[in-house]
Amino acid sequence: MAITDKIYVKNHRQLVSQLETSFPKSAFSGATLDVLFHGENLAKLDDATQDRVLDFAEDFMDCDCDSAPHCGHPEEKFVRYLLELRAGGLGPDAIVDVMGDEYMLYAYPGDVLSFLDNSVRTLEAIESLADVDRERDVAEQAKQRREQLL
């Protein structure tokens, strides 16, 4: 299961009440994206929540694909965001706090830790395979990125 399947809308009940409609807690669920980013629904949210939802849209959903926001690019951008937070020195608890403050999202720190661990293991595998194939540049790049996550 992808980490984006484990990212949830903070204050979900409050938002359901404000919007007077039900939607999944999962932030990247198609139904959630449709409900939160429908113009009429956005106008029903309080100012602070509108700001967070708009920040999320600007940072992750800005895509020119015909199938946006259901094209997968928002999830890719969010994964990069999580990796950048870790590379900046934040641990799983701090990452959860930051995404809550910035976008009104939450995840369980254990899920974030598992994602980060899998990312490190994937980069180790890339580094090893690149060494075998004598792709020194790729191996070095994977090593540098892995070290940023440690």
Side-chain angles (χ1 to χ4, degrees):
M1 182 178 282
I3 184 65
T4 53
D5 293 336
K6 299 176 182 179
I7 305 298
Y8 306 102
V9 175
K10 202 172 182 179
N11 303 329
H12 179 262
R13 287 185 183 157
Q14 175 187 346
L15 294 179
V16 165
S17 175
Q18 285 181 27
L19 297 174
E20 299 174 348
T21 188
S22 182
F23 61 91
K25 285 184 182 182
S26 178
F28 288 93
S29 164
T32 301
L33 296 175
D34 289 342
V35 167
L36 288 180
F37 297 100
H38 187 267
E40 290 177 17
N41 289 336
L42 192 58
K44 294 178 184 177
L45 299 173
D46 62 65
D47 290 342
T49 303
Q50 273 185 13
D51 289 344
R52 298 301 186 295
V53 169
L54 290 173
D55 288 344
F56 180 84
E58 286 177 15
D59 293 347
F60 303 109
M61 299 184 62
D62 186 21
C63 181
D64 294 332
C65 292
D66 291 337
S67 58
H70 308 288
C71 58
H73 291 124
E75 291 88 345
E76 288 176 21
K77 290 177 183 180
F78 194 81
V79 165
R80 271 191 237 113
Y81 165 75
L82 294 176
L83 293 172
E84 288 170 6
L85 290 175
R86 176 61 190 147
L90 298 181
D93 290 320
I95 289 171
V96 170
D97 290 343
V98 168
M99 69 183 191
D101 291 344
E102 291 182 349
Y103 304 111
M104 288 184 59
L105 300 175
Y106 78 92
Y108 296 102
D111 289 336
V112 174
L113 179 62
S114 179
F115 162 73
L116 295 171
D117 183 59
N118 287 336
S119 298
V120 168
R121 303 294 164 241
T122 300
L123 288 166
E124 286 174 345
I126 291 169
E127 184 180 353
S128 295
L129 290 171
D131 279 338
V132 168
D133 286 342
R134 295 188 178 111
E135 295 287 339
R136 304 286 182 237
D137 291 342
V138 173
E140 184 58 31
Q141 190 176 33
K143 179 181 177 182
Q144 289 174 359
R145 290 187 178 168
R146 177 179 53 83
E147 288 174 351
Q148 289 177 340
L149 298 180
L150 295 176

